[in-house]
């Protein structure tokens, strides 16, 4: 991996995490929006990431023979969503492969139920007096914001470390 690839990988990570923070901010801002332009309550949005596609991606390297592959699984439960993450590390003769991260999609959260609050005086109340509020949990959003912020900071630190290495390399030649 060249040093310029490291810059690119960190830059894609920072861009993806900044987008994630923007979406989280939108969720928090619309936590009490009972009616959007389409007449429905706001629904929480979730960002999905994927490996940036290229010829040396993990999926292509995994198909090669004679290379070591380690898979580590981590499971967790968050509210009504159960998820399993698999961390795949592939060692090749050139080292680790991969060219960064990209946003693979922006999805509405249809797993978490909307919040029903009894308020018959509200203009958006149904015939039983219940108002449907968004499925946004402020605590979850703030936790996700801290996570995205720290991931952004980690990418910025790695970017600056690579920049420092390049600068010192240039000083050797002079």
């Amino acid at each position: 991996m060249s040093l310029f690839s490291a810059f690119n990988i960190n830059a894609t990570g920072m861009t993806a995490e900044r987008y994630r923070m923007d979406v989280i901010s939108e969720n928090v801002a619309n936590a009490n929006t009972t009616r959007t332009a389409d007449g429905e309550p706001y629904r929480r949005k979730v960002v999905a990431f994927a490996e940036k596609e290229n010829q040396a991606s993990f999926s292509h390297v995994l198909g090669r023979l004679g290379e070591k592959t380690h898979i580590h699984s981590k499971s967790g439960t968050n509210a009504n969503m159960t998820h399993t993450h698999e961390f795949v590390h592939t060692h090749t003769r050139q080292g680790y492969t991969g060219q960064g991260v990209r946003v693979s999609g922006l999805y509405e959260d249809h797993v978490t139920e909307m919040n029903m609050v009894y308020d018959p005086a509200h203009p958006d109340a149904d015939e039983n007096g219940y108002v449907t509020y968004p499925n946004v949990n402020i605590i979850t959003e703030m936790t996700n914001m801290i996570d995205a912020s720290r991931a952004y900071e980690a990418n910025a630190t790695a970017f600056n470390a690579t920049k420092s290495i390049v600068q010192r390399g240039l000083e050797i030649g002079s």
Side-chain angles (χ1 to χ4, degrees), residues 112-167:
T112 309
E113 292 184 25
M114 303 296 267
N115 298 320
M116 300 298 286
V117 176
Y118 183 73
D119 186 4
H122 195 282
D124 291 327
D126 64 9
E127 60 277 351
N128 297 324
Y130 285 94
V131 179
T132 304
Y133 279 94
N135 57 347
V136 176
N137 181 336
I138 297 297
I139 295 169
T140 300
E141 298 303 322
M142 296 312 294
T143 304
N144 289 341
M145 181 68 82
I146 291 168
D147 182 49
S149 175
R150 292 206 175 141
Y152 184 93
E153 289 172 9
N155 278 294
T157 301
F159 188 92
N160 288 330
T162 304
K163 183 172 78 173
S164 176
I165 290 169
V166 169
Q167 287 175 336

Side-chain angles (χ1 to χ4, degrees), residues 39-51:
E40 297 293 318
Y42 178 82
R43 189 170 288 278
R44 177 177 181 257
K45 294 183 176 124
V46 181
V47 178
F49 296 147
E51 177 190 4

Side-chain angles (χ1 to χ4, degrees), residues 23 33 71 75 94 131 159 161:
V23 171
T33 303
I71 299 176
S75 297
Q94 295 85 18
V131 179
F159 188 92

Side-chain angles (χ1 to χ4, degrees), residues 21-81:
M21 286 188 275
D22 289 345
V23 171
I24 292 168
S25 297
E26 180 183 337
N27 288 341
V28 171
N30 287 295
N32 293 316
T33 303
T34 58
R35 189 180 327 161
T36 59
D38 64 356
E40 297 293 318
Y42 178 82
R43 189 170 288 278
R44 177 177 181 257
K45 294 183 176 124
V46 181
V47 178
F49 296 147
E51 177 190 4
K52 211 171 172 186
E53 297 291 328
N54 67 18
Q55 293 178 342
S57 69
F58 283 135
S59 56
H60 289 94
V61 174
L62 286 175
R64 296 182 186 165
L65 297 175
E67 296 170 353
K68 296 180 183 176
T69 301
H70 304 284
I71 299 176
H72 307 282
S73 293
K74 177 183 174 186
S75 297
T77 304
N78 180 4
N80 295 329
M81 299 184 342

